[in-house]
Amino acid sequence: MLTETQRSIRDMVRGFAQDRIRPHSARFEAEGGYPPALFQDMGALGLWGMTAPDAYGGAGADAVSYALALMEIAAADGALSTIVSIQNSIMVGALLKDGDDAQRQRFLPDLIAGRMIGAFALTEADAGSDAAAVRTRAQKVDGGWRINGAKQFITSGRISGLTMVIAVTDPQAGKKGLSAFLVPTGRPGHHVDKVEHKMGQGASDTCALRFEDLFVEDDLLLGAPGQGYALALANLETGRIGIAAQCVGMAQAALEIAVAYAKDRHSMGKAIIDHQAVGFRLADLATRLEAARQLVLSAAALKDEGQPALTQASMAKLFASEAAEAIVSGAMQTLGGYGYLEEYGIAKIYRDVRVCQIYEGTSDIQRMVIARSL
């Protein structure tokens, strides 16, 4: 059951998302991005630092409130919720947990206010699910490090003001030889090689990055040398809860379109929702959606209690991402030919939701995590 504060946060974000985001979602996709003013308005609501303390401008909310907020943002625009998830779970979360005071003071205010968007650069062409296969190197030099290598599928790589780069600092140490670096955008040697043309989430840029003798000072090392892999793993709970919440939001939006259409469209003398074939389909979709929602909120509640939640987060991410695709597909089927048209909104959600079974750990990886816990 939600507390009064949690319901208040959910309702506030819903109102903002439905008023300021959803009516413009198609335009954002066509333009390939969002206006900076929208990011800053979201910052004023605390949406870029939901669980960050007030001292840095954060909302100081719990994990359940964060999940509820992401559901509402995703219901309005799936691509925007991806950017919000990365900003909260990885960028802000890692700085709060592993950053030193100087790093927090330098970067958190701009990240939380929406004046700066962060990117997380771990994945490479040959290092996705196998994060230990990273080849990007960081070599120690006087006063800092020189980074060389390439990254792939980096969300917000084009618009980011700060990129967290995972690189090898000790090639002989395996997973313990990876380190994390905070790289401000615009430095010599930081290149955006390509903005990918994707099936969905077109307003959220996904890029191939390249680093050529990119210099970063010692004070831009996040945590200690060799902690990069552990740092990335430490944020999996929040990240997977966030993507699962995103799935619930997009599925909810598609189902609402389908139910409204089924009530309005008449065939053979009655609304099509009163035909058992349609009504039962919608009943099944609504049930799967509620199951996904409860898995997400359960994992978030465990995290709020300080309990280990990685297995539950993986279950939520696995179930919600696969259920969401089925729910959106069923919603499209309910509209028939109209569901296939862009103007009804479901086609965009269908494109946006498919990637949720891939990023933040594929469905196969989630099953591996869950199986190990057994």
mmCIF file with all atom_site columns, all heavy atoms in Angstrom, residues 294-320:
data_model
loop_
_atom_site.group_PDB
_atom_site.id
_atom_site.type_symbol
_atom_site.label_atom_id
_atom_site.label_alt_id
_atom_site.label_comp_id
_atom_site.label_asym_id
_atom_site.label_entity_id
_atom_site.label_seq_id
_atom_site.pdbx_PDB_ins_code
_atom_site.Cartn_x
_atom_site.Cartn_y
_atom_site.Cartn_z
_atom_site.occupancy
_atom_site.B_iso_or_equiv
_atom_site.pdbx_formal_charge
_atom_site.auth_seq_id
_atom_site.auth_comp_id
_atom_site.auth_asym_id
_atom_site.auth_atom_id
_atom_site.pdbx_PDB_model_num
ATOM 1   N N   . GLN A 1 294 ? 3.329  -4.877  -9.340  1.00 0.00 ? 294 GLN A N   1
ATOM 2   C CA  . GLN A 1 294 ? 3.573  -5.327  -7.971  1.00 0.00 ? 294 GLN A CA  1
ATOM 3   C C   . GLN A 1 294 ? 4.997  -5.869  -7.800  1.00 0.00 ? 294 GLN A C   1
ATOM 4   O O   . GLN A 1 294 ? 5.610  -5.698  -6.742  1.00 0.00 ? 294 GLN A O   1
ATOM 5   C CB  . GLN A 1 294 ? 2.542  -6.380  -7.575  1.00 0.00 ? 294 GLN A CB  1
ATOM 6   C CG  . GLN A 1 294 ? 1.116  -5.856  -7.472  1.00 0.00 ? 294 GLN A CG  1
ATOM 7   C CD  . GLN A 1 294 ? 0.983  -4.718  -6.473  1.00 0.00 ? 294 GLN A CD  1
ATOM 8   O OE1 . GLN A 1 294 ? 1.690  -4.692  -5.462  1.00 0.00 ? 294 GLN A OE1 1
ATOM 9   N NE2 . GLN A 1 294 ? 0.108  -3.769  -6.747  1.00 0.00 ? 294 GLN A NE2 1
ATOM 10  N N   . LEU A 1 295 ? 5.532  -6.521  -8.818  1.00 0.00 ? 295 LEU A N   1
ATOM 11  C CA  . LEU A 1 295 ? 6.918  -6.976  -8.746  1.00 0.00 ? 295 LEU A CA  1
ATOM 12  C C   . LEU A 1 295 ? 7.871  -5.789  -8.625  1.00 0.00 ? 295 LEU A C   1
ATOM 13  O O   . LEU A 1 295 ? 8.840  -5.833  -7.854  1.00 0.00 ? 295 LEU A O   1
ATOM 14  C CB  . LEU A 1 295 ? 7.273  -7.796  -9.987  1.00 0.00 ? 295 LEU A CB  1
ATOM 15  C CG  . LEU A 1 295 ? 6.912  -9.283  -9.956  1.00 0.00 ? 295 LEU A CG  1
ATOM 16  C CD1 . LEU A 1 295 ? 7.147  -9.913  -11.328 1.00 0.00 ? 295 LEU A CD1 1
ATOM 17  C CD2 . LEU A 1 295 ? 7.753  -10.018 -8.917  1.00 0.00 ? 295 LEU A CD2 1
ATOM 18  N N   . VAL A 1 296 ? 7.600  -4.737  -9.379  1.00 0.00 ? 296 VAL A N   1
ATOM 19  C CA  . VAL A 1 296 ? 8.449  -3.549  -9.323  1.00 0.00 ? 296 VAL A CA  1
ATOM 20  C C   . VAL A 1 296 ? 8.385  -2.909  -7.941  1.00 0.00 ? 296 VAL A C   1
ATOM 21  O O   . VAL A 1 296 ? 9.412  -2.601  -7.325  1.00 0.00 ? 296 VAL A O   1
ATOM 22  C CB  . VAL A 1 296 ? 8.035  -2.531  -10.405 1.00 0.00 ? 296 VAL A CB  1
ATOM 23  C CG1 . VAL A 1 296 ? 8.835  -1.235  -10.247 1.00 0.00 ? 296 VAL A CG1 1
ATOM 24  C CG2 . VAL A 1 296 ? 8.242  -3.107  -11.791 1.00 0.00 ? 296 VAL A CG2 1
ATOM 25  N N   . LEU A 1 297 ? 7.190  -2.700  -7.444  1.00 0.00 ? 297 LEU A N   1
ATOM 26  C CA  . LEU A 1 297 ? 7.034  -2.036  -6.152  1.00 0.00 ? 297 LEU A CA  1
ATOM 27  C C   . LEU A 1 297 ? 7.563  -2.891  -5.012  1.00 0.00 ? 297 LEU A C   1
ATOM 28  O O   . LEU A 1 297 ? 8.091  -2.371  -4.025  1.00 0.00 ? 297 LEU A O   1
ATOM 29  C CB  . LEU A 1 297 ? 5.562  -1.674  -5.922  1.00 0.00 ? 297 LEU A CB  1
ATOM 30  C CG  . LEU A 1 297 ? 4.974  -0.660  -6.914  1.00 0.00 ? 297 LEU A CG  1
ATOM 31  C CD1 . LEU A 1 297 ? 3.515  -0.389  -6.606  1.00 0.00 ? 297 LEU A CD1 1
ATOM 32  C CD2 . LEU A 1 297 ? 5.767  0.644   -6.903  1.00 0.00 ? 297 LEU A CD2 1
ATOM 33  N N   . SER A 1 298 ? 7.453  -4.207  -5.143  1.00 0.00 ? 298 SER A N   1
ATOM 34  C CA  . SER A 1 298 ? 7.997  -5.103  -4.125  1.00 0.00 ? 298 SER A CA  1
ATOM 35  C C   . SER A 1 298 ? 9.519  -4.999  -4.065  1.00 0.00 ? 298 SER A C   1
ATOM 36  O O   . SER A 1 298 ? 10.117 -4.915  -2.983  1.00 0.00 ? 298 SER A O   1
ATOM 37  C CB  . SER A 1 298 ? 7.572  -6.546  -4.418  1.00 0.00 ? 298 SER A CB  1
ATOM 38  O OG  . SER A 1 298 ? 8.195  -7.442  -3.519  1.00 0.00 ? 298 SER A OG  1
ATOM 39  N N   . ALA A 1 299 ? 10.168 -4.992  -5.238  1.00 0.00 ? 299 ALA A N   1
ATOM 40  C CA  . ALA A 1 299 ? 11.631 -4.857  -5.266  1.00 0.00 ? 299 ALA A CA  1
ATOM 41  C C   . ALA A 1 299 ? 12.056 -3.508  -4.705  1.00 0.00 ? 299 ALA A C   1
ATOM 42  O O   . ALA A 1 299 ? 13.039 -3.419  -3.954  1.00 0.00 ? 299 ALA A O   1
ATOM 43  C CB  . ALA A 1 299 ? 12.135 -5.021  -6.703  1.00 0.00 ? 299 ALA A CB  1
ATOM 44  N N   . ALA A 1 300 ? 11.325 -2.458  -5.048  1.00 0.00 ? 300 ALA A N   1
ATOM 45  C CA  . ALA A 1 300 ? 11.651 -1.124  -4.540  1.00 0.00 ? 300 ALA A CA  1
ATOM 46  C C   . ALA A 1 300 ? 11.462 -1.055  -3.027  1.00 0.00 ? 300 ALA A C   1
ATOM 47  O O   . ALA A 1 300 ? 12.270 -0.439  -2.312  1.00 0.00 ? 300 ALA A O   1
ATOM 48  C CB  . ALA A 1 300 ? 10.781 -0.076  -5.230  1.00 0.00 ? 300 ALA A CB  1
ATOM 49  N N   . ALA A 1 301 ? 10.408 -1.693  -2.520  1.00 0.00 ? 301 ALA A N   1
ATOM 50  C CA  . ALA A 1 301 ? 10.163 -1.690  -1.073  1.00 0.00 ? 301 ALA A CA  1
ATOM 51  C C   . ALA A 1 301 ? 11.274 -2.434  -0.329  1.00 0.00 ? 301 ALA A C   1
ATOM 52  O O   . ALA A 1 301 ? 11.692 -2.020  0.752   1.00 0.00 ? 301 ALA A O   1
ATOM 53  C CB  . ALA A 1 301 ? 8.801  -2.315  -0.773  1.00 0.00 ? 301 ALA A CB  1
ATOM 54  N N   . LEU A 1 302 ? 11.749 -3.534  -0.906  1.00 0.00 ? 302 LEU A N   1
ATOM 55  C CA  . LEU A 1 302 ? 12.872 -4.256  -0.301  1.00 0.00 ? 302 LEU A CA  1
ATOM 56  C C   . LEU A 1 302 ? 14.103 -3.356  -0.221  1.00 0.00 ? 302 LEU A C   1
ATOM 57  O O   . LEU A 1 302 ? 14.810 -3.337  0.794   1.00 0.00 ? 302 LEU A O   1
ATOM 58  C CB  . LEU A 1 302 ? 13.209 -5.501  -1.118  1.00 0.00 ? 302 LEU A CB  1
ATOM 59  C CG  . LEU A 1 302 ? 12.449 -6.793  -0.810  1.00 0.00 ? 302 LEU A CG  1
ATOM 60  C CD1 . LEU A 1 302 ? 12.884 -7.889  -1.776  1.00 0.00 ? 302 LEU A CD1 1
ATOM 61  C CD2 . LEU A 1 302 ? 12.710 -7.239  0.623   1.00 0.00 ? 302 LEU A CD2 1
ATOM 62  N N   . LYS A 1 303 ? 14.365 -2.629  -1.289  1.00 0.00 ? 303 LYS A N   1
ATOM 63  C CA  . LYS A 1 303 ? 15.512 -1.724  -1.298  1.00 0.00 ? 303 LYS A CA  1
ATOM 64  C C   . LYS A 1 303 ? 15.356 -0.654  -0.225  1.00 0.00 ? 303 LYS A C   1
ATOM 65  O O   . LYS A 1 303 ? 16.319 -0.302  0.463   1.00 0.00 ? 303 LYS A O   1
ATOM 66  C CB  . LYS A 1 303 ? 15.673 -1.098  -2.675  1.00 0.00 ? 303 LYS A CB  1
ATOM 67  C CG  . LYS A 1 303 ? 16.941 -0.265  -2.819  1.00 0.00 ? 303 LYS A CG  1
ATOM 68  C CD  . LYS A 1 303 ? 17.198 0.115   -4.250  1.00 0.00 ? 303 LYS A CD  1
ATOM 69  C CE  . LYS A 1 303 ? 18.486 0.939   -4.352  1.00 0.00 ? 303 LYS A CE  1
ATOM 70  N NZ  . LYS A 1 303 ? 19.664 0.183   -3.908  1.00 0.00 ? 303 LYS A NZ  1
ATOM 71  N N   . ASP A 1 304 ? 14.144 -0.141  -0.061  1.00 0.00 ? 304 ASP A N   1
ATOM 72  C CA  . ASP A 1 304 ? 13.903 0.868   0.972   1.00 0.00 ? 304 ASP A CA  1
ATOM 73  C C   . ASP A 1 304 ? 14.149 0.319   2.370   1.00 0.00 ? 304 ASP A C   1
ATOM 74  O O   . ASP A 1 304 ? 14.536 1.062   3.286   1.00 0.00 ? 304 ASP A O   1
ATOM 75  C CB  . ASP A 1 304 ? 12.459 1.390   0.874   1.00 0.00 ? 304 ASP A CB  1
ATOM 76  C CG  . ASP A 1 304 ? 12.290 2.395   -0.259  1.00 0.00 ? 304 ASP A CG  1
ATOM 77  O OD1 . ASP A 1 304 ? 13.269 3.065   -0.617  1.00 0.00 ? 304 ASP A OD1 1
ATOM 78  O OD2 . ASP A 1 304 ? 11.161 2.499   -0.782  1.00 0.00 ? 304 ASP A OD2 1
ATOM 79  N N   . GLU A 1 305 ? 13.947 -0.978  2.537   1.00 0.00 ? 305 GLU A N   1
ATOM 80  C CA  . GLU A 1 305 ? 14.168 -1.611  3.838   1.00 0.00 ? 305 GLU A CA  1
ATOM 81  C C   . GLU A 1 305 ? 15.630 -1.971  4.071   1.00 0.00 ? 305 GLU A C   1
ATOM 82  O O   . GLU A 1 305 ? 15.986 -2.517  5.104   1.00 0.00 ? 305 GLU A O   1
ATOM 83  C CB  . GLU A 1 305 ? 13.307 -2.870  3.963   1.00 0.00 ? 305 GLU A CB  1
ATOM 84  C CG  . GLU A 1 305 ? 11.812 -2.594  4.067   1.00 0.00 ? 305 GLU A CG  1
ATOM 85  C CD  . GLU A 1 305 ? 11.464 -1.830  5.321   1.00 0.00 ? 305 GLU A CD  1
ATOM 86  O OE1 . GLU A 1 305 ? 12.071 -2.104  6.380   1.00 0.00 ? 305 GLU A OE1 1
ATOM 87  O OE2 . GLU A 1 305 ? 10.603 -0.935  5.249   1.00 0.00 ? 305 GLU A OE2 1
ATOM 88  N N   . GLY A 1 306 ? 16.474 -1.685  3.074   1.00 0.00 ? 306 GLY A N   1
ATOM 89  C CA  . GLY A 1 306 ? 17.888 -2.009  3.210   1.00 0.00 ? 306 GLY A CA  1
ATOM 90  C C   . GLY A 1 306 ? 18.193 -3.478  3.008   1.00 0.00 ? 306 GLY A C   1
ATOM 91  O O   . GLY A 1 306 ? 19.275 -3.953  3.380   1.00 0.00 ? 306 GLY A O   1
ATOM 92  N N   . GLN A 1 307 ? 17.253 -4.215  2.416   1.00 0.00 ? 307 GLN A N   1
ATOM 93  C CA  . GLN A 1 307 ? 17.440 -5.639  2.182   1.00 0.00 ? 307 GLN A CA  1
ATOM 94  C C   . GLN A 1 307 ? 18.045 -5.875  0.799   1.00 0.00 ? 307 GLN A C   1
ATOM 95  O O   . GLN A 1 307 ? 17.840 -5.067  -0.116  1.00 0.00 ? 307 GLN A O   1
ATOM 96  C CB  . GLN A 1 307 ? 16.089 -6.369  2.273   1.00 0.00 ? 307 GLN A CB  1
ATOM 97  C CG  . GLN A 1 307 ? 15.392 -6.224  3.599   1.00 0.00 ? 307 GLN A CG  1
ATOM 98  C CD  . GLN A 1 307 ? 16.181 -6.868  4.729   1.00 0.00 ? 307 GLN A CD  1
ATOM 99  O OE1 . GLN A 1 307 ? 16.761 -7.939  4.566   1.00 0.00 ? 307 GLN A OE1 1
ATOM 100 N NE2 . GLN A 1 307 ? 16.209 -6.202  5.882   1.00 0.00 ? 307 GLN A NE2 1
ATOM 101 N N   . PRO A 1 308 ? 18.783 -6.969  0.605   1.00 0.00 ? 308 PRO A N   1
ATOM 102 C CA  . PRO A 1 308 ? 19.273 -7.311  -0.741  1.00 0.00 ? 308 PRO A CA  1
ATOM 103 C C   . PRO A 1 308 ? 18.094 -7.471  -1.697  1.00 0.00 ? 308 PRO A C   1
ATOM 104 O O   . PRO A 1 308 ? 17.122 -8.162  -1.385  1.00 0.00 ? 308 PRO A O   1
ATOM 105 C CB  . PRO A 1 308 ? 20.010 -8.643  -0.525  1.00 0.00 ? 308 PRO A CB  1
ATOM 106 C CG  . PRO A 1 308 ? 20.365 -8.653  0.928   1.00 0.00 ? 308 PRO A CG  1
ATOM 107 C CD  . PRO A 1 308 ? 19.241 -7.943  1.625   1.00 0.00 ? 308 PRO A CD  1
ATOM 108 N N   . ALA A 1 309 ? 18.181 -6.829  -2.842  1.00 0.00 ? 309 ALA A N   1
ATOM 109 C CA  . ALA A 1 309 ? 17.037 -6.820  -3.751  1.00 0.00 ? 309 ALA A CA  1
ATOM 110 C C   . ALA A 1 309 ? 17.426 -7.131  -5.189  1.00 0.00 ? 309 ALA A C   1
ATOM 111 O O   . ALA A 1 309 ? 16.612 -6.946  -6.092  1.00 0.00 ? 309 ALA A O   1
ATOM 112 C CB  . ALA A 1 309 ? 16.326 -5.465  -3.683  1.00 0.00 ? 309 ALA A CB  1
ATOM 113 N N   . LEU A 1 310 ? 18.644 -7.599  -5.428  1.00 0.00 ? 310 LEU A N   1
ATOM 114 C CA  . LEU A 1 310 ? 19.079 -7.817  -6.799  1.00 0.00 ? 310 LEU A CA  1
ATOM 115 C C   . LEU A 1 310 ? 18.246 -8.892  -7.490  1.00 0.00 ? 310 LEU A C   1
ATOM 116 O O   . LEU A 1 310 ? 17.846 -8.725  -8.653  1.00 0.00 ? 310 LEU A O   1
ATOM 117 C CB  . LEU A 1 310 ? 20.565 -8.191  -6.847  1.00 0.00 ? 310 LEU A CB  1
ATOM 118 C CG  . LEU A 1 310 ? 21.138 -8.401  -8.254  1.00 0.00 ? 310 LEU A CG  1
ATOM 119 C CD1 . LEU A 1 310 ? 20.948 -7.165  -9.113  1.00 0.00 ? 310 LEU A CD1 1
ATOM 120 C CD2 . LEU A 1 310 ? 22.610 -8.795  -8.187  1.00 0.00 ? 310 LEU A CD2 1
ATOM 121 N N   . THR A 1 311 ? 17.964 -9.995  -6.801  1.00 0.00 ? 311 THR A N   1
ATOM 122 C CA  . THR A 1 311 ? 17.156 -11.050 -7.420  1.00 0.00 ? 311 THR A CA  1
ATOM 123 C C   . THR A 1 311 ? 15.768 -10.533 -7.735  1.00 0.00 ? 311 THR A C   1
ATOM 124 O O   . THR A 1 311 ? 15.229 -10.760 -8.829  1.00 0.00 ? 311 THR A O   1
ATOM 125 C CB  . THR A 1 311 ? 17.073 -12.274 -6.501  1.00 0.00 ? 311 THR A CB  1
ATOM 126 O OG1 . THR A 1 311 ? 18.387 -12.789 -6.281  1.00 0.00 ? 311 THR A OG1 1
ATOM 127 C CG2 . THR A 1 311 ? 16.205 -13.358 -7.119  1.00 0.00 ? 311 THR A CG2 1
ATOM 128 N N   . GLN A 1 312 ? 15.156 -9.830  -6.780  1.00 0.00 ? 312 GLN A N   1
ATOM 129 C CA  . GLN A 1 312 ? 13.816 -9.305  -7.008  1.00 0.00 ? 312 GLN A CA  1
ATOM 130 C C   . GLN A 1 312 ? 13.818 -8.251  -8.109  1.00 0.00 ? 312 GLN A C   1
ATOM 131 O O   . GLN A 1 312 ? 12.876 -8.171  -8.911  1.00 0.00 ? 312 GLN A O   1
ATOM 132 C CB  . GLN A 1 312 ? 13.259 -8.706  -5.712  1.00 0.00 ? 312 GLN A CB  1
ATOM 133 C CG  . GLN A 1 312 ? 12.834 -9.735  -4.678  1.00 0.00 ? 312 GLN A CG  1
ATOM 134 C CD  . GLN A 1 312 ? 14.018 -10.392 -3.963  1.00 0.00 ? 312 GLN A CD  1
ATOM 135 O OE1 . GLN A 1 312 ? 15.156 -9.940  -4.087  1.00 0.00 ? 312 GLN A OE1 1
ATOM 136 N NE2 . GLN A 1 312 ? 13.748 -11.455 -3.225  1.00 0.00 ? 312 GLN A NE2 1
ATOM 137 N N   . ALA A 1 313 ? 14.880 -7.441  -8.176  1.00 0.00 ? 313 ALA A N   1
ATOM 138 C CA  . ALA A 1 313 ? 14.983 -6.445  -9.245  1.00 0.00 ? 313 ALA A CA  1
ATOM 139 C C   . ALA A 1 313 ? 15.111 -7.133  -10.600 1.00 0.00 ? 313 ALA A C   1
ATOM 140 O O   . ALA A 1 313 ? 14.528 -6.685  -11.596 1.00 0.00 ? 313 ALA A O   1
ATOM 141 C CB  . ALA A 1 313 ? 16.172 -5.523  -9.000  1.00 0.00 ? 313 ALA A CB  1
ATOM 142 N N   . SER A 1 314 ? 15.876 -8.223  -10.651 1.00 0.00 ? 314 SER A N   1
ATOM 143 C CA  . SER A 1 314 ? 16.017 -8.971  -11.903 1.00 0.00 ? 314 SER A CA  1
ATOM 144 C C   . SER A 1 314 ? 14.702 -9.626  -12.296 1.00 0.00 ? 314 SER A C   1
ATOM 145 O O   . SER A 1 314 ? 14.339 -9.659  -13.475 1.00 0.00 ? 314 SER A O   1
ATOM 146 C CB  . SER A 1 314 ? 17.122 -10.028 -11.768 1.00 0.00 ? 314 SER A CB  1
ATOM 147 O OG  . SER A 1 314 ? 18.393 -9.416  -11.654 1.00 0.00 ? 314 SER A OG  1
ATOM 148 N N   . MET A 1 315 ? 13.974 -10.169 -11.315 1.00 0.00 ? 315 MET A N   1
ATOM 149 C CA  . MET A 1 315 ? 12.654 -10.738 -11.605 1.00 0.00 ? 315 MET A CA  1
ATOM 150 C C   . MET A 1 315 ? 11.708 -9.672  -12.150 1.00 0.00 ? 315 MET A C   1
ATOM 151 O O   . MET A 1 315 ? 10.981 -9.905  -13.129 1.00 0.00 ? 315 MET A O   1
ATOM 152 C CB  . MET A 1 315 ? 12.062 -11.350 -10.337 1.00 0.00 ? 315 MET A CB  1
ATOM 153 C CG  . MET A 1 315 ? 12.715 -12.638 -9.876  1.00 0.00 ? 315 MET A CG  1
ATOM 154 S SD  . MET A 1 315 ? 11.967 -13.231 -8.334  1.00 0.00 ? 315 MET A SD  1
ATOM 155 C CE  . MET A 1 315 ? 12.784 -14.806 -8.146  1.00 0.00 ? 315 MET A CE  1
ATOM 156 N N   . ALA A 1 316 ? 11.716 -8.509  -11.524 1.00 0.00 ? 316 ALA A N   1
ATOM 157 C CA  . ALA A 1 316 ? 10.842 -7.424  -11.960 1.00 0.00 ? 316 ALA A CA  1
ATOM 158 C C   . ALA A 1 316 ? 11.201 -6.983  -13.370 1.00 0.00 ? 316 ALA A C   1
ATOM 159 O O   . ALA A 1 316 ? 10.323 -6.778  -14.221 1.00 0.00 ? 316 ALA A O   1
ATOM 160 C CB  . ALA A 1 316 ? 10.939 -6.248  -10.989 1.00 0.00 ? 316 ALA A CB  1
ATOM 161 N N   . LYS A 1 317 ? 12.493 -6.838  -13.634 1.00 0.00 ? 317 LYS A N   1
ATOM 162 C CA  . LYS A 1 317 ? 12.932 -6.388  -14.949 1.00 0.00 ? 317 LYS A CA  1
ATOM 163 C C   . LYS A 1 317 ? 12.597 -7.429  -16.011 1.00 0.00 ? 317 LYS A C   1
ATOM 164 O O   . LYS A 1 317 ? 12.123 -7.105  -17.107 1.00 0.00 ? 317 LYS A O   1
ATOM 165 C CB  . LYS A 1 317 ? 14.431 -6.099  -14.895 1.00 0.00 ? 317 LYS A CB  1
ATOM 166 C CG  . LYS A 1 317 ? 14.947 -5.183  -16.000 1.00 0.00 ? 317 LYS A CG  1
ATOM 167 C CD  . LYS A 1 317 ? 15.367 -5.935  -17.229 1.00 0.00 ? 317 LYS A CD  1
ATOM 168 C CE  . LYS A 1 317 ? 16.017 -5.028  -18.261 1.00 0.00 ? 317 LYS A CE  1
ATOM 169 N NZ  . LYS A 1 317 ? 16.375 -5.745  -19.502 1.00 0.00 ? 317 LYS A NZ  1
ATOM 170 N N   . LEU A 1 318 ? 12.860 -8.694  -15.730 1.00 0.00 ? 318 LEU A N   1
ATOM 171 C CA  . LEU A 1 318 ? 12.561 -9.774  -16.668 1.00 0.00 ? 318 LEU A CA  1
ATOM 172 C C   . LEU A 1 318 ? 11.072 -9.831  -16.976 1.00 0.00 ? 318 LEU A C   1
ATOM 173 O O   . LEU A 1 318 ? 10.655 -9.797  -18.144 1.00 0.00 ? 318 LEU A O   1
ATOM 174 C CB  . LEU A 1 318 ? 13.031 -11.108 -16.086 1.00 0.00 ? 318 LEU A CB  1
ATOM 175 C CG  . LEU A 1 318 ? 12.589 -12.371 -16.831 1.00 0.00 ? 318 LEU A CG  1
ATOM 176 C CD1 . LEU A 1 318 ? 13.204 -12.421 -18.220 1.00 0.00 ? 318 LEU A CD1 1
ATOM 177 C CD2 . LEU A 1 318 ? 12.966 -13.625 -16.034 1.00 0.00 ? 318 LEU A CD2 1
ATOM 178 N N   . PHE A 1 319 ? 10.258 -9.911  -15.934 1.00 0.00 ? 319 PHE A N   1
ATOM 179 C CA  . PHE A 1 319 ? 8.821  -10.080 -16.142 1.00 0.00 ? 319 PHE A CA  1
ATOM 180 C C   . PHE A 1 319 ? 8.193  -8.843  -16.768 1.00 0.00 ? 319 PHE A C   1
ATOM 181 O O   . PHE A 1 319 ? 7.418  -8.935  -17.723 1.00 0.00 ? 319 PHE A O   1
ATOM 182 C CB  . PHE A 1 319 ? 8.123  -10.400 -14.810 1.00 0.00 ? 319 PHE A CB  1
ATOM 183 C CG  . PHE A 1 319 ? 6.658  -10.694 -14.969 1.00 0.00 ? 319 PHE A CG  1
ATOM 184 C CD1 . PHE A 1 319 ? 6.229  -11.977 -15.271 1.00 0.00 ? 319 PHE A CD1 1
ATOM 185 C CD2 . PHE A 1 319 ? 5.710  -9.693  -14.843 1.00 0.00 ? 319 PHE A CD2 1
ATOM 186 C CE1 . PHE A 1 319 ? 4.874  -12.250 -15.438 1.00 0.00 ? 319 PHE A CE1 1
ATOM 187 C CE2 . PHE A 1 319 ? 4.360  -9.954  -15.012 1.00 0.00 ? 319 PHE A CE2 1
ATOM 188 C CZ  . PHE A 1 319 ? 3.938  -11.247 -15.303 1.00 0.00 ? 319 PHE A CZ  1
ATOM 189 N N   . ALA A 1 320 ? 8.535  -7.667  -16.253 1.00 0.00 ? 320 ALA A N   1
ATOM 190 C CA  . ALA A 1 320 ? 7.908  -6.438  -16.742 1.00 0.00 ? 320 ALA A CA  1
ATOM 191 C C   . ALA A 1 320 ? 8.268  -6.153  -18.190 1.00 0.00 ? 320 ALA A C   1
ATOM 192 O O   . ALA A 1 320 ? 7.425  -5.719  -18.978 1.00 0.00 ? 320 ALA A O   1
ATOM 193 C CB  . ALA A 1 320 ? 8.298  -5.260  -15.851 1.00 0.00 ? 320 ALA A CB  1
#
